[in-house]
Amino acid sequence: MDDEKQLVYGEDDLSSDEDEIKTLGAPKSLPYATAKEQSSTSRSQAIFGTGITQTNNNDVSPLLSIEPEPVYEGSSGSNAGTASITANSEPIFHVRSRTAAALAGTAQQTQTQYESLDYDVCENALFQAEQRKRLRDRFSLRIHVIRWIIFILIGIVTALIACTIDIVIEELSELKYKFLKSSVDHNVPVNESTGDLALPFFWWLLFSVVPVAIGAGMVTYIEPITAGSGIPQVKSYLNGVKVPRIVRIKTLAVKAVGVITSVVGGLAGGKEGPMIHAGAVVAAGISQGKSTTFVKDFRIFKAFRDDHEKRDFVLGGAAAGVSAAFGAPIGGMLFSLEEAASFWNQNLIWRTLIASIISSFTLNIVLSAYHGLHDFTFTGLFNLGKFDQPLTFEYFELPLFMLLGVTGGLLGAAWNSLNTLINKFRKRYVPWKVGKVCEAVLVAIMGVTLACTMIYFIDDCRPLGNDPTIHPVQLFCEDNEYNAVAALWFQTPEATVRALFHDPPGSHKILTLAVFTLVYYFLSCATFGLNVSLGVFIPTALVGAAWGRLVAMLIFYLFPNALFLHPGKYALIGAAANLGGVLRMTISLSVILMETTGIETSFFFPLIIALITAKWVGDYFNDGIYDTVIEVNNVPMLSWEPLPQYKGLTAKEILSKPVVSIKLVDSAHYIYEVLQKCNHNGFPVVDDVVGDRRSEGRVCGIILRSQLIVILLKSLYVENKRFWIPETSIQTFRDVYPRYPSISSVRPLDRKINYTVDLSMFMNPSPVRVNTHDSVPKIFNIFRALGLRHMLVINNENRIAGIITRRDFIYK
């Protein structure tokens, strides 16, 4: 083969926005793909590229990628030939993206790429040596103790951050609504006085627009990954997808400030969802014992510096975040396992539970002391209060609860579909940074305007004493009365949910709740997806509580003798049904609601009936909101089961070939050229190579790109082996984790061009291998269960036949 042959290789590193699959110039003797071979690698090229993770334009959402049309062409340049390679057969599975078709040929296309994480432990000779050392000096026991200590620290720090956010939000919201109440009271026209209600309206606008503009500006210009709740990003990370900048300290700082400004600004969102992302960042930072942002290494926890260990800690951090948000340690653990985690075991469940319990306990102590409680009964950020009387139900109500579940499923599916359309619209027509900030401000103005319109035009006055807010507004009501409509708006959404659960019967008119449900339904739908840090749990629960209470009021209006109608009970069922219809969670959601409200276990049955019914009905139409966000943004998630299109296929039909391989003892020049010419992250190590035909060698291991770059940087060559052998260990590679250097940081070899590298002690000698005749469903289960990034496909002679990566299981 000559130097003009092109190298085309199915890569594990994930989605790219390019309209063609890059063909890279290869050095002499590197394999290249023929047109026939190319067709076997084209199945999932619609969302996968071959580059290293990078973001070339910060004003695009970090989860946004564009699905290109597979085009196979040669590239030209100093090291590439001019011949093009065109596939002569259609992919097995192929759907053309209309977005890609619309953007094809544009001058500028934003590139956002994803890589897989290396959850498979590299058990090379250095790793085995460390394991043997642990057995001799009882280091293994210390590692287990330290691991438990880290999970405890994660729970404590996550709870402290949650307390800080909650206290700041509560104090600022108190000042805001107290001032607004005073302004309304002083500007209500009475007896032809000169009061002007436009003044409190403008004050309300100011107190909403300024915080929202600050939060949206920070998210848009400083750290776009902090937009939204962060749960889809954390879920993608735990599935094995490396989302750029997801667990950095700057991300945590912007997330915290963004949540505070958004909630204080009055947007239809909550602080509970972002706490999960905050817990994940805390876990990732503490477990590594160093900060790459501040370039500070504390020289601790070095044994946990790999993707596998970091994943487990991030899962514990997510559980601690849920526990802090809802005061539900069991619910936090179940949420992480049901919604976020893709891999778990019994030990991980125990550690996650400990992190959740510690987080809940710490938050309980701090917030109870802050609120002056001496019995430490403050449960969590999302405090719905305890019901005065135990909630009971009659068995003839169960069909009614199922109908509420059906309603929640339908409303949730419609909400998800509408929100998806809105987000697609804003990504296409609001691509500018300043436009994203202005959009958030516009939604804040719209929310204030709708609230003021409701308060002004709906006459709903109730006697004082039953007021659900600490700042009752009289407005046009008589003395000793308050405006019930203003009570729904003059407090945080969390406080409104609590009021709907516990307000006595007759606290609102049917018209008030009907209009409020309609307004908040669409307002929350327009809010989720803005470039602000907000969660979807609170507005979803609020809408469900409103229409659930409304249903109870309507039934009571039709049947005044129905004594079983407790409005708080139906508000709780409605909130559960609406949450199930939007989020599609069942077990963890029911436990969270039980722990949050303190209801009896006997009421678990109607609660789970409503949740399951809502999930089943919603699943008929679309996925949950988190899965929808992931799918719309083309994040390559692996589902629990292989897609039906893969049934009946074998490894030979989905593998990528030929594979760029490296000999067990190979020249440093060849390795350097390979790393420069291609962006693959895993290379089979082969021996028994005839000439330079490495792609037909016998498999003896696999080596990662990051390992090869460290080898070249530290000059770990055979010729100077006596100098580096005593000082080289597995820690040599952990020290540069997680931001591995790129090949551009390696200086040209010059005098070391003839040096050789022996990979026997660096490679993983036991990579997962499958035969070309193995079925795809079987391969998928192995790939997903072990958290693999690369899977080698061999023939009966143990020679490399191809490679399977995450992209080969993704059908788009």
Side-chain angles (χ1 to χ4, degrees), residues 386-403:
K386 308 298 181 183
F387 286 93
D388 295 333
Q389 306 254 341
L391 294 183
T392 59
F393 67 97
E394 303 292 341
Y395 285 102
F396 58 79
E397 291 183 88
L398 293 179
L400 184 56
F401 295 151
M402 293 183 65
L403 288 177

Side-chain angles (χ1 to χ4, degrees), residues 118 297 340 379 387 447 562 596 653:
D118 294 303
D297 191 342
T379 53
F387 286 93
T596 304
E653 296 173 277

Side-chain angles (χ1 to χ4, degrees), residues 105-167:
T106 56
Q108 296 180 351
Q109 293 188 16
T110 303
Q111 298 182 3
T112 304
Q113 302 171 343
Y114 300 104
E115 292 186 10
S116 292
L117 294 166
D118 294 303
Y119 286 160
D120 186 30
V121 179
C122 180
E123 298 181 349
N124 55 18
L126 299 175
F127 179 83
Q128 296 294 343
E130 182 190 56
Q131 296 297 309
R132 289 191 292 270
K133 180 182 178 182
R134 289 182 180 182
L135 293 177
R136 290 196 302 269
D137 60 6
R138 297 184 181 180
F139 183 68
S140 180
L141 178 61
R142 294 206 306 271
I143 287 295
H144 288 304
V145 173
I146 292 173
R147 186 179 282 111
W148 281 102
I149 292 174
I150 293 175
F151 274 98
I152 293 173
L153 288 175
I154 290 170
I156 294 174
V157 176
T158 302
L160 293 177
I161 292 175
C163 291
T164 303
I165 293 175
D166 183 68
I167 291 173

Side-chain angles (χ1 to χ4, degrees), residues 168-186:
V168 173
I169 288 177
E170 185 169 332
E171 292 294 334
L172 293 179
S173 297
E174 170 77 9
L175 293 174
K176 172 184 175 180
Y177 292 114
K178 185 177 181 179
F179 178 84
L180 290 177
K181 168 185 163 48
S182 175
S183 179
V184 170
D185 292 341
H186 283 83

Side-chain angles (χ1 to χ4, degrees), residues 77 108 162 267 278 301 327-328 348 406 485 492 562 632 649 721 770 812:
Q108 296 180 351
L267 290 178
F301 307 150
L348 183 57
V406 172
V485 183
T492 61
V632 166
L649 299 181
K721 191 173 184 179
V770 295
K812 291 289 183 182

Side-chain angles (χ1 to χ4, degrees), residues 286 356 441 495:
I286 292 178
S356 298
V441 171

Side-chain angles (χ1 to χ4, degrees), residues 340-656:
S342 295
F343 316 97
W344 69 75
N345 54 50
Q346 189 178 31
N347 290 331
L348 183 57
I349 291 175
W350 275 106
R351 297 180 190 122
T352 302
L353 178 60
I354 290 297
S356 298
I357 293 174
I358 295 297
S359 177
S360 178
F361 179 70
T362 304
L363 183 133
N364 189 333
I365 292 177
V366 175
L367 289 187
S368 295
Y370 170 74
H371 289 281
L373 302 176
H374 301 289
D375 52 357
F376 302 113
T377 56
F378 201 92
T379 53
L381 304 187
F382 186 53
N383 187 359
L384 295 180
K386 308 298 181 183
F387 286 93
D388 295 333
Q389 306 254 341
L391 294 183
T392 59
F393 67 97
E394 303 292 341
Y395 285 102
F396 58 79
E397 291 183 88
L398 293 179
L400 184 56
F401 295 151
M402 293 183 65
L403 288 177
L404 292 177
V406 172
T407 304
L410 293 175
L411 290 176
W415 194 94
N416 291 354
S417 298
L418 180 60
N419 180 257
T420 301
L421 292 176
I422 292 174
N423 288 334
K424 287 182 177 179
F425 176 86
R426 61 171 43 117
K427 284 178 181 177
R428 183 170 184 178
Y429 295 103
V430 191
W432 315 280
K433 292 182 179 180
V434 65
K436 294 179 180 180
V437 177
C438 292
E439 182 190 17
V441 171
L442 181 63
V443 172
I445 294 174
M446 181 174 64
V448 173
T449 304
L450 290 173
C452 289
T453 303
M454 279 189 63
I455 295 172
Y456 188 83
F457 287 101
I458 297 180
D459 183 17
D460 189 359
C461 296
R462 300 292 162 178
L464 286 173
N466 294 333
D467 48 301
T469 176
I470 59 176
H471 300 301
V473 178
Q474 183 178 0
L475 201 60
F476 299 114
C477 297
E478 301 293 335
D479 291 340
N480 296 321
E481 288 185 342
Y482 74 97
N483 190 296
V485 183
L488 294 174
W489 292 100
F490 271 51
Q491 57 189 353
T492 61
E494 172 197 333
T496 305
V497 177
R498 184 165 58 248
L500 291 174
F501 279 9
H502 300 287
D503 283 355
S507 297
H508 306 90
K509 285 184 177 180
I510 292 178
L511 177 63
T512 300
L513 285 185
V515 175
F516 180 79
T517 300
L518 190 65
V519 168
Y520 218 85
Y521 183 87
F522 291 103
L523 190 61
S524 62
C525 196
T527 302
F528 189 70
L530 294 175
N531 250 36
V532 294
S533 297
L534 271 183
V536 72
F537 191 98
I538 294 298
T540 303
L542 177 53
V543 172
W547 67 253
R549 191 179 180 98
L550 178 63
V551 168
M553 294 171 62
L554 290 173
I555 297 177
F556 186 78
Y557 179 79
L558 298 175
F559 305 99
N561 295 325
L563 300 179
F564 61 88
L565 289 172
H566 186 294
K569 175 175 66 175
Y570 280 82
L572 176 60
I573 295 294
N578 209 55
L579 285 167
V582 173
L583 305 182
R584 310 293 162 79
M585 295 186 299
T586 53
I587 301 175
S588 60
L589 199 54
S590 60
V591 173
I592 287 173
L593 289 175
M594 288 184 65
E595 291 185 286
T596 304
T597 58
I599 60 176
E600 293 71 18
T601 54
S602 59
F603 202 73
F604 179 82
F605 187 59
L607 201 63
I608 199 68
I609 283 179
L611 280 168
I612 291 177
T613 306
K615 174 179 170 54
W616 283 350
V617 173
D619 284 343
Y620 181 81
F621 297 98
N622 49 36
D623 293 327
I625 186 61
Y626 300 139
D627 292 327
T628 300
V629 170
I630 291 171
E631 182 179 358
V632 166
N633 292 293
N634 292 331
V635 181
M637 288 276 292
L638 291 180
S639 58
W640 288 103
E641 299 292 337
L643 296 170
Q645 293 87 344
Y646 287 95
K647 293 182 179 179
L649 299 181
T650 62
K652 185 177 181 180
E653 296 173 277
I654 70 167
L655 58 80
S656 299

